[in-house]
């Protein structure tokens, strides 16, 4: 199984720790002192609540950044769509695995069409793929599908906060379907459909590196 | 959107909007996050009493780390209410003992997830967290098939709810957490659908629902029971002796 993507999905505890990354518990008095010194750190009429980390001030959401992110998503959808299309056609699948490939392949193809439509002239082109035999064997197909679907969820979750509201609504409609795919195929192979109470988010660079490591994409 | 079957037991005592939302915070919240549906939201006349933010929103200052807007607090409390409901539903179902096999495994595992979501949201909200409501699940935890049907609707609704709110969230870190929960609810939905023999992923795109739509659907279940009875005049007690 050496050609498989091996992504360690962050465990639940780490995901929660990330989400809750509390700065040193500042007392209220200290906060107010700092707020006055800093000059208006308190949001007027807002509420100060502990428990959320300050995410690195990455580039603010913008239409240009949306294009970059949605093209990144499109690459993953191209990959999944082609994977399922070839697996369905391979003749190697039967029973529920075949049904999964059919249903989910149709979904991924719809995702491709949707993103291509949204991106218009800016849509990236479809690369060529070599799935290293993972579409020709039911066991390898199912194991690879688990990783691909989990990866898709992590990728969308990673990019969500970086999107403009409109693009987020579009991506939001897709990510939960990928999560459904992931749970379904996990159940087929009798793995835990929902392995943790929080799903991890992964950066674009980490996902890109993981995908590159599979060797599936031949010249993007 | 799918609506849960009404319980056969007596109707829950509902509170009117006016009785519950004294400082107007809830109406404001519904207005901001579901603007065009406010009319529909309020028209129902009854309200989940549990959604009243304790102590009002604007005065809360916990040991602060970062600014979270009032809108975000309303959204988090909305999420917390749904998580309270799911957590209680699964806990009760496991306790009642009518579940077997994969369905029982599902209820245990997913119940733990929902409890973790409750813990996280309560911790994040601190004193701004709404209280846990009282529930009456109208028999849906006592029959395995009814449980599965109800769980499917609860999980699908949860997905729609988080999805609907995500674009409304102001704070990046809150959004990150919400997305991380949203996809897990989708896993739950697919899992229980699969157990029930239903399509795990019924469509290529999942729909979003507004806060008002979700609250209306939940209100129709009568699962949430008002905390306080509307007091009626009683006969004056008679004392002997």
């Amino acid at each position: 199984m050496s050609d498989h993507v091996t992504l360690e999905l962050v465990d639940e505890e780490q995901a929660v720790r990330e989400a809750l990354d509390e700065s040193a518990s500042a007392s209220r008095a200290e906060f107010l002192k700092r707020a006055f010194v800093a000059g208006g750190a308190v949001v007027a009429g807002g509420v100060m609540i502990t428990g959320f980390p300050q995410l690195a001030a990455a580039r603010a959401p913008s239409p240009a950044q949306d294009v970059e992110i949605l093209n990144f998503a499109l690459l993953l959808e191209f990959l999944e769509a082609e994977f399922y299309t070839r697996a369905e056609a391979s003749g190697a699948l039967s029973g529920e695995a075949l049904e999964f490939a059919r249903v989910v392949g149709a979904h991924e193809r719809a995702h491709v069409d949707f993103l291509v439509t949204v991106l218009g002239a800016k849509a990236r082109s479809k690369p060529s793929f070599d799935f290293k035999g993972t579409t020709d064997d039911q066991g390898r197909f199912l194991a690879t599908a688990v990783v691909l679907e989990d990866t898709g969820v992590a990728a969308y979750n990673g990019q969500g906060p970086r999107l403009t509201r409109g693009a987020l609504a579009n991506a939001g409609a897709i990510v939960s379907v990928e999560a459904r795919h992931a749970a379904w195929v996990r159940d087929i192979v009798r793995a835990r459909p929902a392995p943790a109470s929080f799903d991890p988010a992964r950066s674009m660079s980490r996902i890109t590196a993981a995908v590159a490591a599979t060797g599936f994409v031949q010249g993007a | 959107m799918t609506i849960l079957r009404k319980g056969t037991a007596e109707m829950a005592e509902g509170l009117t909007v006016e009785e519950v939302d004294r400082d107007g915070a809830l109406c404001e919240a519904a207005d901001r996050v579901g603007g065009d549906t406010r009319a529909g939201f309020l028209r129902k006349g009854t309200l989940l009493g549990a959604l009243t933010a304790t102590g009002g929103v604007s005065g809360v200052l916990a040991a602060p780390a970062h600014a979270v807007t009032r809108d975000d607090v309303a959204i988090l409390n909305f999420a917390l209410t749904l998580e309270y409901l799911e957590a209680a539903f699964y806990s009760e179902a496991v306790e009642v003992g009518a579940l077997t096999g994969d369905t029982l495994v599902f209820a245990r595992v997913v119940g733990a997830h929902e409890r973790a979501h409750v813990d996280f949201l309560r911790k994040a909200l601190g004193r701004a967290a709404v209280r846990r409501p009282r529930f009456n699940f109208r028999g849906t935890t006592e029959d395995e098939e009814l449980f599965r049907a109800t769980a499917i609707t609860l999980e699908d609704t949860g997905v729609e709810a988080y999805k609907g709110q995500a674009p409304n969230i102001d704070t990046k870190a809150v959004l990150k957490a919400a997305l991380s929960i949203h996809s897990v609810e989708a896993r739950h939905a697919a899992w229980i659908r699969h157990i029930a023999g239903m399509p795990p992923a019924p469509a290529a795109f999942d729909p979003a629902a507004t806060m008002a739509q979700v609250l209306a659907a939940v209100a129709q279940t009568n699962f949430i029971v008002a905390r306080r009875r509307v007091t009626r005049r009683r006969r004056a007690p008679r004392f002997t002796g």
Side-chain angles (χ1 to χ4, degrees):
Chain A
M1 303 285 219
S2 56
D3 295 331
H4 285 224
V5 177
T6 50
L7 281 181
E8 329 117 71
L9 299 174
V10 76
D11 63 44
E12 168 185 327
E13 293 312 305
Q14 189 179 342
V16 175
R17 272 201 300 277
E18 272 186 62
L20 287 178
D21 180 39
E22 300 183 34
S23 16
S25 40
S27 68
R28 178 181 168 170
E30 233 205 270
F31 161 75
L32 287 174
K33 190 165 57 172
R34 279 190 277 125
F36 286 129
V37 166
V42 179
V43 173
V47 179
M48 303 300 291
I49 286 188
T50 191
F52 291 102
Q54 188 82 325
L55 292 185
R59 288 174 295 158
S62 69
Q65 184 166 279
D66 282 350
V67 169
E68 183 197 344
I69 294 170
L70 293 180
N71 263 321
F72 163 67
L74 179 54
L75 172 63
L76 298 178
E77 298 289 350
F78 271 136
L79 192 157
E80 287 177 317
E82 189 64 20
F83 174 73
Y84 290 118
T85 300
R86 291 195 199 174
E88 183 186 346
S90 71
L93 307 184
S94 62
E96 192 172 10
L98 178 58
E99 189 203 344
F100 178 82
R102 277 187 186 140
V103 171
V104 172
H107 291 174
E108 311 300 11
R109 290 186 288 275
H111 296 167
V112 166
D113 292 345
F114 175 69
L115 290 172
V116 165
T117 300
V118 166
L119 286 161
K122 300 192 173 133
R124 59 159 303 134
S125 57
K126 177 178 166 180
S128 47
F129 297 105
D130 175 357
F131 291 108
K132 317 283 190 191
T134 60
T135 54
D136 302 322
D137 170 88
Q138 180 152 314
R140 296 185 73 194
F141 162 76
L142 289 168
T144 304
V146 169
V147 178
L148 288 180
E149 296 296 340
D150 283 344
T151 300
V153 173
Y156 276 106
N157 281 352
Q159 296 311 307
R162 303 180 67 219
L163 291 167
T164 62
R165 284 173 200 260
L168 176 59
N170 287 335
I174 293 175
V175 61
S176 58
V177 176
E178 304 295 359
R180 288 177 185 269
H181 296 167
W184 182 5
V185 70
R186 279 171 163 268
D187 211 19
I188 289 173
V189 301
R190 304 309 281 169
R192 177 65 50 85
S197 50
F198 295 84
D199 264 342
R202 285 283 174 264
S203 68
M204 190 185 290
S205 55
R206 186 150 166 189
I207 299 289
T208 303
V211 170
T214 66
F216 288 166
V217 182
Q218 310 288 303
Chain B
M1 82 183 273
T2 50
I3 305 294
L4 282 167
R5 197 165 86 200
K6 272 195 187 158
T8 52
E10 72 284 350
M11 298 286 284
E13 54 275 36
L15 299 178
T16 63
V17 175
E18 290 68 37
E19 282 165 323
V20 170
D21 187 28
R22 287 192 190 83
D23 67 353
L26 201 53
C27 288
E28 276 183 62
D31 224 358
R32 276 195 303 277
V33 300
D36 60 329
T37 56
R38 178 172 184 248
F41 171 54
L42 294 176
R43 201 187 310 125
K44 264 223 150 267
T46 57
L47 192 70
L48 306 173
L51 283 174
T52 306
T54 51
V57 167
S58 49
V60 173
L61 268 180
H66 304 287
V68 175
T69 62
R70 269 186 78 159
D71 287 358
D72 283 354
V73 169
I75 292 170
L76 289 170
N77 269 322
F78 167 62
L80 177 55
T81 298
L82 299 179
E83 297 290 350
Y84 276 140
L85 191 156
E86 289 176 318
F89 174 72
Y90 292 122
S91 294
E92 184 175 301
V94 170
E95 229 178 276
V96 160
L99 309 183
T100 63
D102 286 345
T103 303
L104 178 56
V105 171
F106 171 84
R108 282 189 178 135
V109 171
V110 171
H113 291 175
E114 311 303 11
R115 286 187 292 277
H117 297 164
V118 166
D119 291 346
F120 172 77
L121 290 168
R122 280 172 62 103
K123 186 170 181 182
L125 283 159
R127 289 175 51 215
V130 289
R131 292 160 76 195
R132 188 185 312 273
R134 281 176 54 226
F135 299 105
N136 180 336
F137 292 110
R138 317 287 173 186
T140 60
T141 56
E142 297 162 27
D143 171 88
E144 198 159 28
E145 213 176 293
L146 204 45
F147 166 83
R148 283 195 289 262
T150 305
I152 287 173
T153 304
L154 288 180
E155 297 293 342
D156 280 345
T157 300
V159 174
E160 295 177 359
Y162 277 102
K163 195 190 309 297
Q165 292 313 307
N168 296 328
I169 295 173
D170 298 321
T171 310
K172 225 175 199 193
V174 173
L175 176 57
K176 186 176 187 220
L179 292 177
S180 177
I181 294 174
H182 164 249
S183 56
V184 172
E185 304 294 357
R187 288 177 184 268
H188 294 168
W191 184 4
I192 188 60
R193 280 170 160 270
H194 194 229
I195 290 172
M198 303 275 291
F205 302 92
D206 272 341
T210 63
M211 188 183 284
Q213 287 171 326
V214 174
L215 291 177
V218 173
Q220 279 204 300
T221 67
N222 296 311
F223 286 167
I224 296 185
V225 174
R227 289 200 147 264
R228 296 183 308 279
R229 278 183 190 284
V230 176
T231 56
R232 296 177 228 290
R233 284 190 64 86
R234 296 176 209 260
R235 288 164 56 123
R238 295 191 180 170
F239 297 97
T240 60

